[in-house]
Amino acid sequence: KTAVVGGLAASVAAAPVGLLFHATNIPQWEFDTDQISLMGALFGLTYRYAVRTDANPMLRQGVVGAFALTRALATVRVPDGCA
């Protein structure tokens, strides 16, 4: 449930703003919206598990990995000709 809520909230909030910045490059706007949805879903999941009080080291490493993945996705650029 947290991934769905996080993904929907992030994509609904970011889609109109992203369209203003990428009005001439629709593939980049679509990719950015999908990427932000994935980031929101991962943020919802990682936040849910990061605030837990158990001492699970694998869970803590997964939180770091999820944030690293979303940071890496933010650097990807789509060419204008991509459809």
Side-chain angles (χ1 to χ4, degrees):
K1 290 186 249 182
T2 57
V4 172
V5 170
L8 283 175
S11 63
V12 167
V17 177
L19 187 58
L20 293 174
F21 289 108
H22 298 296
T24 59
N25 190 357
I26 297 299
Q28 182 67 45
W29 171 76
E30 183 180 356
F31 180 78
D32 285 348
T33 303
D34 294 345
Q35 165 190 325
I36 289 171
S37 177
L38 177 63
M39 284 183 187
L42 280 175
F43 177 78
L45 285 173
T46 54
Y47 182 78
R48 181 185 187 285
Y49 288 111
V51 297
R52 289 176 58 158
T53 57
D54 58 349
N56 185 347
M58 294 302 289
L59 189 61
R60 300 290 179 207
Q61 291 173 2
V63 169
V64 172
F67 281 118
L69 176 66
T70 59
R71 184 67 185 141
L73 282 175
T75 61
V76 176
R77 294 288 158 233
V78 178
D80 291 339
C82 186

